[in-house]
Amino acid sequence: MAPGGRTLPDIPGLCGIVEGSVLPGFYGLEAGQSAVGDIFNWFVQLRAARGRRVTHEALAADATRLAPANPGCFALDWNNGNRTVLVDSA
């Protein structure tokens, strides 16, 4: 959080700066929900535990062959967050 009422500079790695989002009179500084890499690792490890050899590269290659709105393709929207998967917060 940062005191409100003044202009804040762009801060690399932050996904959002919203005045009043946490407390009135303060900016909420959002660094995102960076769990998506952990979710991919969990999935690879889950498959390995079930005796299936899979890598991140193989999953990515498989995903490129799926058409949008493929009836066999689904996502669970909440597993500790996916809102900022394209942000490089490093």
Side-chain angles (χ1 to χ4, degrees), residues 5-27:
R6 61 188 175 115
T7 302
L8 293 180
D10 285 335
I11 301 171
L14 290 186
C15 305
I17 300 173
V18 182
E19 192 166 10
S21 64
V22 179
L23 289 174
F26 289 86
Y27 286 101

Side-chain angles (χ1 to χ4, degrees), residues 4-6 11 15 22 28 36 40 43 46 48 58-59 61 64 72-73 77 79 88-89:
R6 61 188 175 115
I11 301 171
C15 305
V22 179
V36 73
F40 292 149
F43 186 75
L46 177 70
L59 291 174
T64 63
C73 186
D77 190 46
N79 192 348
D88 180 6
S89 59

Side-chain angles (χ1 to χ4, degrees), residues 18-79:
V18 182
E19 192 166 10
S21 64
V22 179
L23 289 174
F26 289 86
Y27 286 101
L29 308 176
E30 180 184 356
Q33 300 165 331
S34 319
V36 73
D38 291 335
I39 294 167
F40 292 149
N41 274 337
W42 165 79
F43 186 75
V44 167
Q45 291 170 3
L46 177 70
R47 303 278 296 187
R50 293 182 177 175
R52 298 187 174 119
R53 184 170 164 82
V54 66
T55 65
H56 293 279
E57 293 78 13
L59 291 174
D62 288 347
T64 63
R65 291 191 287 277
L66 294 174
N70 183 313
C73 186
F74 71 93
L76 299 175
D77 190 46
W78 185 258
N79 192 348

